[in-house]
Amino acid sequence: DMRGQLDAIVSLALTFLRDENPRVCYAACHALGVLATDFGPREGGPESKSFTSFQERFHARVVPALCETMHTAIHVRVKAHALVALVDLIDGMAQLLLEPHLAAIMSQLSPMLSHMRPQFLLEECLSTIGSVAKTAGLVFIPYYPECIAPCMTILRSTSDKSRQAQCKALECATLMGSAVGKHIFAPDAPAVISALKDIELSVDENDHSMAFSIVTGWSRICEILGADF
């Protein structure tokens, strides 16, 4: 059973995160993301009650290591893949496990979001912030103001090249809104709704990913605002 070898495998992957070769670092990020998914929390089944998830066992080692990689990696694709691995980890993590790491994670993500370049790194950053907010819930409130403003800037962009980033920004903004609740999100809701309307009017009917983001965005906003929608 591979579960019995996870300690050794994780230790090896964490060592490779610091390798001088960026391809090795990239592969280590990928391995950690796959392990987090494959050995994440289980629902139902005879083993679910006795099974200790990857997140429970290794969050204290893996999250700081991925944050360090985000900070120190020279190659942006290694940074981006560290974000992907972090999302894989966080998606199976309880709020109680995430909360001690929140400040360290956001200290890396917030500056990355503000720089907005290169585009693929920005998109991964938006996805990661959305994932963090979704898991963190109300404890994300202190980080909401510094994240919503860059999201709005991206949502208002008129460049065709920024469509995918707009999809990610819309997802991020509405996930943050769901996390922090109506009272915090309400002042920004009109601007998000206005940007969403503009995007909806300009989007190509064949752009299915954007159409899905728009429908999902409306659904989340409606859920957040309730009767005030």
Side-chain angles (χ1 to χ4, degrees):
D1 190 337
M2 193 173 175
R3 280 179 291 180
Q5 303 174 47
L6 279 180
D7 279 300
I9 294 170
V10 169
S11 294
L12 195 60
L14 294 178
T15 299
F16 285 144
L17 276 182
R18 302 187 186 92
D19 197 275
E20 293 181 359
N21 189 324
R23 293 185 180 184
V24 174
C25 298
Y26 185 97
C29 290
H30 183 75
L32 290 169
V34 171
L35 290 170
T37 300
D38 290 352
F39 295 96
R42 297 183 178 181
E43 295 183 7
E47 298 181 352
S48 60
K49 293 183 179 180
S50 61
F51 179 78
T52 302
S53 71
F54 183 91
Q55 285 77 359
E56 291 175 286
R57 289 179 63 180
F58 299 110
H59 71 92
R61 297 170 62 190
V62 175
V63 175
L66 290 174
C67 286
E68 182 183 354
T69 301
M70 284 186 270
H71 180 66
T72 60
I74 297 173
H75 292 263
V76 289
R77 294 207 175 271
V78 174
K79 288 180 182 284
H81 216 50
L83 292 173
V84 173
L86 188 61
V87 169
D88 290 335
L89 188 69
I90 290 171
D91 281 350
M93 190 179 290
Q95 183 198 62
L96 191 64
L97 297 180
L98 176 63
E99 190 171 355
H101 303 291
L102 198 52
I105 292 171
M106 294 308 299
S107 71
Q108 299 303 320
L109 295 179
S110 295
M112 206 179 293
L113 181 60
S114 300
H115 291 153
M116 298 193 179
R117 290 293 182 275
Q119 177 110 349
F120 69 85
L121 184 60
L122 170 62
E123 291 167 10
E124 293 298 348
C125 183
L126 288 164
S127 293
T128 307
I129 291 172
S131 181
V132 169
K134 181 180 178 181
T135 299
L138 292 175
V139 295
F140 188 80
I141 288 176
Y143 307 98
Y144 174 81
E146 66 195 41
C147 295
I148 191 64
C151 278
M152 291 309 306
T153 299
I154 297 164
L155 284 172
R156 295 190 186 104
S157 174
T158 57
S159 171
D160 288 338
K161 294 180 179 179
S162 65
R163 283 300 188 206
Q164 186 61 27
Q166 284 182 318
C167 286
K168 298 294 186 180
L170 180 57
E171 177 186 51
C172 182
T174 53
L175 283 172
M176 288 193 297
S178 296
V180 302
K182 176 180 175 180
H183 177 69
I184 302 295
F185 179 71
D188 297 304
V192 175
I193 290 171
S194 176
L196 186 48
K197 286 179 178 178
D198 291 341
I199 293 169
E200 192 170 16
L201 290 172
S202 62
V203 71
D204 189 299
E205 63 179 12
N206 295 317
D207 189 345
H208 300 300
S209 64
M210 195 68 198
F212 177 79
S213 295
I214 289 169
V215 171
T216 306
W218 281 125
S219 176
R220 285 202 191 102
I221 293 170
C222 181
E223 186 177 344
I224 297 164
L225 298 180
D228 292 332
F229 178 66

